[in-house]
Amino acid sequence: MRILAISDLHYRLRHYDWLVRAAEDVDVVALAGDLADVVNPVPLDVQVVVLEKYLDRLAEHAVVLAASGNHDLDGPGEHGEQIAGWLRRPRAGGVFTDGESVDLDGTRFTVCPWWDGPNSRDSVGAQLAAAAQDRPERWVWLYHSPPAGTVLCRDGRREFPDHDLASWIDEHQPDIVLCGHIHQAPWVEGGSWHARLATTLVFNPGRQVGPVPAHLTLDTDAGTADWFGVFDSQRIDLG
Amino acid sequence: MSDLLDFCADLPVESTSAGEVLIEEGSPPGRMLVLVSGSLTVERDGVPIARIDTPGAVFGEMSVVLGKPATATLRADSDVRVHVIEDPMTFLVEQPGAALAVLQTTASRLDGLTQYVADVKQQLAGSEGHLGMVGEILDTLVHHQGVAARPGSARDPEGSSTH
C-alpha cells in the first residue's frame, strides 16, 4: 500500500491541483490538518465549498483521510469548544474525516480531530481507546500537532509540543502518527521530518513555498518512507 | 443608480481633491459614500482595479452590511464630491427605498459577476487543475448561503492567526 501523507496545504489551490494528480499513483491520501487557511481573505465557508470539491476529486483516485487542524475550525460544537464541523459531516465514498477509523489492507487509520478544550480532548482520548480494540497488524493516526518530546514540534520560531498526544502514543503505541502544524520543523537546525517515540514513528512533512508541496510517501510493502521537500528528498526504513 | 442620490439630497456633501483617499483598505466599517460628481479609483494592494465616475455610485456598503473591513482603497482621480452617510445602518433601516436602491446596485454587480463566471465556466470546461473545477464551484457558490464561520483556536491562538 502506498500512502501519500501531507499537511498544511492552507487553501493553496496549486498544491491541491498537484495533489489530485499525485493521488493517481497512490492508494491513500492522508491530509493531516490545516486544509483551509483562516488568514486567507476568502471566507472560510467558501473555502470549504472548494475544499470539499477537492476531497471528492481526490477520492476518485484514492482513499482520502482528512483530519482537522487549527485553521479548519469553523465554530463551536455542542460543548462550546471550537470544532471543524464541516469535517464531521457524513460523506459518501472513500473520504474519512474527523472521528473516523477505517481498516485498509491490514492497516487501521484513525483520523483525529484538532481538539480545542478539555471536552474535545477527552473525545479524542475516547476515540483512540475505542479504535485500539482489536487493532490490526498496523495502526496509523492522523493528528495535526506533533507530540512533545520530538524535534517535530519546534521550528526555531515557535514551539507547540502536544503533551496529550505524547501520552496517548505512550499508552497505545501506534505504528505511525502523521502530523503537521509546525511548518519549518524539517529545515530548522537540528530539526527533522521524522522522529521516534519508543516504537512509534512520527512524521511532519513541513510546509514550504514552491510548485510541489512538501510531502511523504509511505510504502508499506517496501517498508520505506520517502520525504520530498522543495529542494531535497530523503528516505528511511519504516522498521 | 440615480434613485439613491434622491434619498441623499439632504445629506452633507464632502469635496475631495485628486489623489486623496476616501476609504482605506483594511479600515473598519464606518461611513457610506454616494458619488455626486468626479471620478474615483478603486485600488487593492496599491493596484488600481476599477475606475468609477457614475453619479449615484455607492461605496463602503459591503463593509457596513457585512461588518467587515474595507476590501479596497477608494482614491479620488479628480476633484470629487460625495454625499457622506455617517450612520449607514440607520439610514438604510429608516429609508427602505434607499436600501432597495443599494440592493439593486449590489444585485446588479452580482448578476454581472454571475454572467461572467457562467461564460468562464463554459469556455474553460475540461481544463486542467483548478480552472477545470471553476464551473462546478461556481454552481455551488451562486446558490451558497452558508452560515458565516467562526474560525480560530483557543488552544493555539498564535497558530490560527499566523498559520
Side-chain angles (χ1 to χ4, degrees):
Chain A
M1 181 166 47
R2 283 169 57 80
I3 305 160
L4 194 163
I6 199 162
S7 182
D8 297 278
L9 289 178
H10 286 279
Y11 194 66
R12 190 173 285 261
L13 299 182
R14 288 190 188 280
H15 284 177
Y16 279 101
D17 284 344
W18 174 88
L19 188 59
V20 170
R21 292 193 298 273
E24 296 176 9
D25 299 324
V26 298
D27 303 297
V28 176
V29 172
L31 294 138
D34 282 1
L35 286 70
D37 189 311
V38 296
V39 181
N40 190 296
V42 177
L44 186 56
D45 62 310
V46 174
Q47 290 186 40
V48 166
V49 168
V50 176
L51 294 173
E52 289 185 327
K53 304 286 187 194
Y54 273 112
L55 293 180
D56 290 342
R57 291 274 171 123
L58 289 167
E60 292 173 4
H61 305 297
V63 173
V64 178
L65 313 168
S68 57
N70 49 308
H71 276 254
D72 301 314
L73 308 175
D74 59 4
E78 57 187 14
H79 37 54
E81 295 169 9
Q82 286 288 87
I83 63 166
W86 65 282
L87 282 173
R88 293 174 184 236
R89 294 178 197 144
R91 288 168 200 280
V95 181
F96 300 89
T97 54
D98 281 358
E100 294 189 285
S101 287
V102 59
D103 291 351
L104 301 169
D105 196 19
T107 298
R108 175 164 298 169
F109 294 92
T110 296
V111 184
C112 301
W114 174 271
W115 58 265
D116 214 47
N119 291 294
S120 45
R121 180 191 59 206
D122 291 349
S123 294
V124 173
Q127 177 193 4
L128 292 171
Q133 304 296 318
D134 303 322
R135 57 186 280 186
E137 182 184 345
R138 184 180 289 111
W139 194 11
V140 178
W141 300 356
L142 280 73
Y143 188 110
H144 186 55
S145 55
T150 68
V151 295
L152 308 182
C153 58
R154 56 181 168 82
D155 66 3
R157 186 179 65 88
R158 78 190 200 106
E159 187 166 348
F160 194 83
D162 194 314
H163 296 280
D164 295 272
L165 176 58
S167 173
W168 285 320
I169 289 173
D170 182 54
E171 179 183 354
H172 297 296
Q173 299 179 18
D175 300 282
I176 292 169
V177 180
L178 303 172
C179 299
H181 195 50
I182 303 300
H183 297 170
Q184 293 302 313
W187 298 282
V188 71
E189 188 173 348
S192 181
W193 54 279
H194 62 91
R196 190 176 281 278
L197 283 175
T199 59
T200 301
L201 267 173
V202 189
F203 296 104
N204 174 5
R207 177 176 189 250
Q208 270 189 325
V209 175
V212 174
H215 63 281
L216 301 166
T217 305
L218 310 180
D219 189 324
T220 58
D221 298 322
T224 54
D226 289 283
W227 171 76
F228 301 90
V230 174
F231 301 110
D232 41 2
S233 61
Q234 295 174 18
R235 167 175 288 189
I236 64 167
D237 291 331
L238 290 176
Chain B
M1 287 196 281
S2 57
D3 282 353
L4 188 56
L5 277 177
D6 295 340
F7 288 99
C8 299
D10 296 331
L11 293 174
V13 172
E14 189 172 286
S15 296
T16 305
S17 304
E20 286 187 39
V21 170
L22 289 89
I23 296 175
E24 188 88 47
E25 182 176 353
S27 60
R31 51 190 205 163
M32 198 165 78
L33 307 176
V34 178
L35 182 62
V36 178
S37 64
S39 173
L40 295 155
T41 292
V42 179
E43 301 173 355
R44 186 167 294 151
D45 296 330
V47 178
I49 53 175
R51 188 175 183 187
I52 297 165
D53 57 6
T54 309
V58 60
F59 304 94
E61 82 288 358
M62 296 274 280
S63 174
V64 165
V65 171
L66 297 177
K68 297 171 72 169
T71 56
T73 291
L74 186 65
R75 189 185 301 278
D77 273 340
S78 63
D79 290 343
V80 162
R81 296 172 67 235
V82 291
H83 283 298
V84 179
I85 303 166
E86 295 287 355
D87 184 357
M89 292 304 271
T90 301
F91 173 77
L92 294 172
V93 167
E94 292 183 350
Q95 301 191 80
L100 180 61
V102 173
L103 176 61
Q104 284 171 332
T105 301
T106 52
S108 172
R109 199 183 298 161
L110 178 61
D111 182 56
L113 278 169
T114 305
Q115 299 300 336
Y116 168 73
V117 297
D119 180 65
V120 167
K121 168 191 164 187
Q122 188 178 2
Q123 294 199 40
L124 297 184
S127 297
E128 287 285 310
H130 191 77
L131 279 181
M133 298 169 65
V134 164
E136 194 183 338
I137 291 167
L138 292 175
D139 278 344
T140 305
L141 286 181
V142 163
H143 302 285
H144 179 65
Q145 297 195 39
V147 178
R150 199 190 85 179
S153 166
R155 183 179 159 219
D156 185 14
E158 184 195 353
S160 295
S161 60
T162 60
H163 292 182

